Amino acid sequence: MSALEPDDPHSVGAYRLLSRLGVGGMGRVFLGRSPGGRLVAVKVVHAELVRRPEFRDRFRREVQAARLVSGAFTAPVIDADPDAPLPWLVTSYIAGPSLEQAVVERGPFEAGAVLALAAGLAEALVSIHAVNLVHRDLKPSNVLLAEDGPRVIDFGIVRSVEADSITGTGLVAGSPGFMSPEQVNGDAITPASDVFCLGAVLAFAATGANPFGEGPTPALLYRVVHNTPDIGTVTDPALHALIGDCLAKDPARRPTPQEILARVGALGDESTMALRHLGPRSRQGNAPGSPTPAGTPFPGARATDPGAPTNVLPRDAGPGPLPQQATTVAPRFHDRATRVGAAPEPDPAATGPTGRRAGRERGGSRRAFLFLGVGGGAVAAAGVGAGFWLNRSAAADRDRATPPSSASPSSSPSASAPRPARPLGHWPLDETSGTVARDTVGGHHGTATGVTWGPGGGGAVFDGRGGQIVTGGPVLETGKGRSFTVAAWVRLSTAPENWATAVSQDAEDASAFYLQYAVEGNRWAFSRPGQRAVGRSEPAVNVWTHLVGVCAGQARTLRLYVNGVQEAETEDTAPMSATGPFVIGRASYGGQAVDFFPGAVRDVRVFDRALTADRIKKLG
């Protein structure tokens, strides 16, 4: 999820748009709010599609057909306007991460959970097929894991089996690796095609990998048509047989969704939808990780220093309030808030090569950054950690390994031995004099310039004009596919008049990341150039605050924690490799030192992995 871009509409029909959920081949998808306060997903069709002959008529027919779909495991279409300059449709907003995110960030699910997933998705297909529709794009990113079961979303290329396809001649609808052989070959598409896609989705959930491997699209499509799927690691006999039958090359040999429900139902209660949420059980009250009502102090918040005044920074006039970010979906929209802290946070290691960010855009000025505003945008639809309904044994979570940074992208998440969450670098900043800031773990000592030392190990004190601590070289690898965590205690001595960065690492002509104060909105943020995960709590002067920024490389997300509570998440769309030194007290842009921090920083730690929420709480 990200903030609205300059060319994005602020409203569509009667729906106010709050933020971007994503972009697909059919159009842009936004989080919106209905006039009555309901959160919805709004899809606006790409302009180039509207220019195609007969598009509107076909879009109208498909919207009418999709509106007929009802069922516990689908996201129904609730509104649409095929005659708008850019046609749009509105579906129910589902609070929960996608299956793709859940698997990438936490590994494959156990057999019982995958069988339960099969039941929910099969029932969704029954609802879709009952109105003569074929989804044609069932894949892990189109399955959301809500608290009460999975939901099939994105009817962007769904078609009526009685009508022409919305795609033109010679165009293939679907996603490579999650397409049926008949889709690849351009043959007749029947409901059996969705069953093949379901088999690929279940294989992904059970193994963490596509059953037809990875690689260029032509190679994937060839394997879909000609190769036997790789499901040898699925050891549960019932699940193995089910996936294998769904992936039969001959559509006539695949089970129907009704037959899948009968098979899964016969396996007993373990495969029903009444499964425990993934992760620890819900806490009562406002324990760390639970929803925090407005006006309630955040869990873990530190008292102000003795004798120091506490000044809450004034809130800028700006966008109206958005749904509370990350910790809750506003209770007035849902009977029960969705806790992002309900499950351990993802912990993938880096598996992809580092890469330089192409086309770095920071805008015309430093204030040109888009930000999520007061409260950001509801992240639950695209973020991880919402209370998953799928269960996974405690032993499976405990034993799941994190792949080393040298592993290939196709390595299994459970192929290596687990690594302890030890810091790559730790700067206590408890010096009392001198110009050396010691790294007590990795030996990446920093040189302090324009810095004074607080009494009694009170941290490094920066004047906000030129103070900085700079290491002799790079510390973190921050490029494409790389996961890392940055944590620091910070205290503002005055209300900044501009951006103020506590921790960063230099790249070629800008910082690769920023743990910072964002002047627009008066919020803490964890950022990359051009994108920000902006928190919702208001920074205060003379108050020690614990900030943690997490980059989950494989999932391409940035998350911000404030005093142990996740406050924001955004998509990491353009990761940048940090080739320069690690810096405390400022950032860089255009080859210049900028964003000097006015205040104190202490206990800075960095990790070469995405820490879990529980581990982050222990850092504070």
Side-chain angles (χ1 to χ4, degrees):
M1 177 177 295
S2 60
L4 295 176
E5 296 185 2
D7 60 344
D8 287 336
H10 291 278
S11 64
V12 170
Y15 302 90
R16 184 163 70 93
L17 304 186
L18 307 177
S19 58
R20 270 196 179 208
L21 292 176
V23 179
M26 189 77 171
R28 295 168 292 174
V29 185
F30 303 96
L31 176 69
R33 179 178 291 166
S34 73
R38 180 182 183 182
L39 291 179
V40 293
V42 182
K43 174 170 284 188
V44 180
V45 172
H46 288 312
E48 55 267 26
L49 292 178
V50 180
R51 291 192 288 268
R52 295 182 183 177
E54 301 181 356
F55 172 84
R56 289 185 187 274
D57 288 340
R58 291 175 177 174
F59 181 77
R60 183 180 293 104
R61 289 199 302 269
E62 296 205 3
V63 166
Q64 290 171 347
R67 278 177 144 170
L68 299 176
V69 177
S70 62
F73 302 112
T74 60
V77 175
I78 58 179
D79 198 1
D81 186 357
D83 298 313
L86 292 180
W88 52 266
L89 73 148
V90 178
T91 64
S92 295
Y93 168 76
I94 306 300
S98 71
L99 175 63
E100 179 182 46
Q101 289 173 299
V103 171
V104 166
E105 299 193 351
R106 298 209 57 211
F109 289 105
E110 64 181 14
V114 179
L115 288 168
L117 177 67
L121 298 183
E123 186 169 330
L125 292 182
V126 169
S127 300
I128 294 170
H129 297 166
V131 292
N132 293 321
L133 293 180
V134 182
H135 191 286
R136 297 201 302 170
D137 199 23
L138 184 62
K139 58 186 177 180
S141 61
N142 279 343
V143 176
L144 297 184
L145 304 182
E147 286 194 337
D148 56 349
R151 297 291 192 280
V152 174
I153 64 167
D154 197 351
F155 295 105
I157 60 173
V158 70
R159 61 159 291 184
S160 170
V161 297
E162 299 172 348
D164 292 334
S165 171
I166 200 167
T167 54
T169 302
L171 298 179
V172 177
S175 301
F178 295 96
M179 296 170 61
S180 66
E182 53 268 33
Q183 282 179 284
V184 176
N185 289 331
D187 296 335
I189 306 299
T190 68
S193 178
D194 284 343
V195 174
F196 187 94
C197 300
L198 171 61
V201 168
L202 297 179
F204 175 82
T207 67
N210 189 297
F212 298 101
E214 305 293 338
T217 296
L220 275 175
L221 298 181
Y222 179 89
R223 293 184 209 129
V224 166
V225 175
H226 300 286
N227 288 16
T228 301
D230 182 7
I231 56 173
T233 56
V234 181
T235 57
D236 181 85
L239 181 59
H240 187 280
L242 177 62
I243 294 175
D245 290 347
C246 290
L247 293 176
K249 304 297 185 187
D250 182 358
R253 297 184 57 189
R254 300 170 200 156
T256 66
Q258 291 87 343
E259 290 170 344
I260 294 172
L261 283 170
R263 287 173 63 168
V264 173
L267 296 175
D269 292 339
E270 187 64 22
S271 63
T272 68
M273 299 311 299
L275 295 175
R276 299 189 304 274
H277 292 297
L278 180 61
R281 296 181 179 180
S282 301
R283 300 178 178 92
Q284 298 297 321
N286 290 326
S290 61
T292 307
T296 302
F298 289 177
R302 268 38 178 194
T304 56
D305 293 343
T310 301
N311 300 316
V312 177
L313 304 185
R315 180 178 299 177
D316 282 346
L322 302 182
Q324 293 180 351
Q325 173 107 350
T327 50
T328 67
V329 175
R332 72 186 180 112
F333 300 117
H334 298 279
D335 292 336
R336 178 173 56 181
T338 299
R339 295 192 301 109
V340 167
E345 287 296 311
D347 193 15
T351 59
T354 58
R356 295 184 180 181
R357 179 175 183 263
R360 286 176 216 121
E361 288 187 359
R362 186 154 178 167
S365 70
R366 309 221 50 253
R367 294 179 181 270
F369 278 107
L370 294 174
F371 65 101
L372 294 183
V374 181
V379 169
V384 294
F388 300 170
W389 60 273
L390 293 174
N391 80 331
R392 190 196 321 242
S393 67
D397 270 350
R398 188 171 56 250
D399 296 338
R400 187 179 82 78
T402 302
S405 58
S406 60
S408 67
S410 59
S411 298
S412 168
S414 57
S416 334
R419 294 183 299 141
R422 295 176 180 173
L424 193 66
H426 181 199
W427 297 263
L429 302 182
D430 56 359
E431 287 79 7
T432 57
S433 63
T435 59
V436 176
R438 298 170 298 111
D439 173 6
T440 60
V441 173
H444 305 283
H445 306 310
T447 300
T449 304
V451 173
T452 59
W453 303 104
V461 181
F462 303 86
D463 60 10
R465 296 188 299 273
Q468 61 181 0
I469 296 173
V470 183
T471 65
V475 177
L476 287 170
E477 296 185 14
T478 65
K480 183 178 180 181
R482 298 290 180 176
S483 297
F484 61 93
T485 299
V486 183
W489 281 95
V490 302
R491 186 186 68 186
L492 292 169
S493 59
T494 185
E497 297 180 355
N498 207 329
W499 310 93
T501 297
V503 182
S504 68
Q505 187 167 319
D506 287 349
E508 286 187 2
D509 59 0
S511 297
F513 68 83
Y514 314 81
L515 191 62
Q516 64 182 175
Y517 166 82
V519 68
E520 294 186 16
N522 290 335
R523 296 292 186 269
W524 298 114
F526 181 50
S527 313
R528 295 269 211 180
Q531 53 209 325
R532 270 195 175 81
V534 181
R536 71 170 189 277
S537 58
E538 297 180 354
V541 172
N542 291 321
V543 175
W544 281 107
T545 303
H546 193 234
L547 303 180
V548 180
V550 177
C551 174
Q554 292 180 335
R556 298 183 300 176
T557 57
L558 301 175
R559 295 193 298 276
L560 172 70
Y561 292 77
V562 180
N563 290 328
V565 177
Q566 183 178 335
E567 290 201 0
E569 179 172 325
T570 192
E571 186 178 4
D572 187 13
T573 56
M576 177 188 293
S577 293
T579 56
F582 185 80
V583 182
I584 303 171
R586 57 97 173 153
S588 65
Y589 179 65
Q592 303 294 319
V594 295
D595 298 354
F596 290 97
F597 190 85
V601 180
R602 61 177 173 87
D603 195 18
V604 177
R605 307 186 197 195
V606 296
F607 301 79
D608 60 352
R609 62 192 298 182
L611 292 190
T612 65
D614 288 343
R615 183 71 179 88
I616 287 170
K617 291 185 180 72
K618 294 176 182 178
L619 289 180

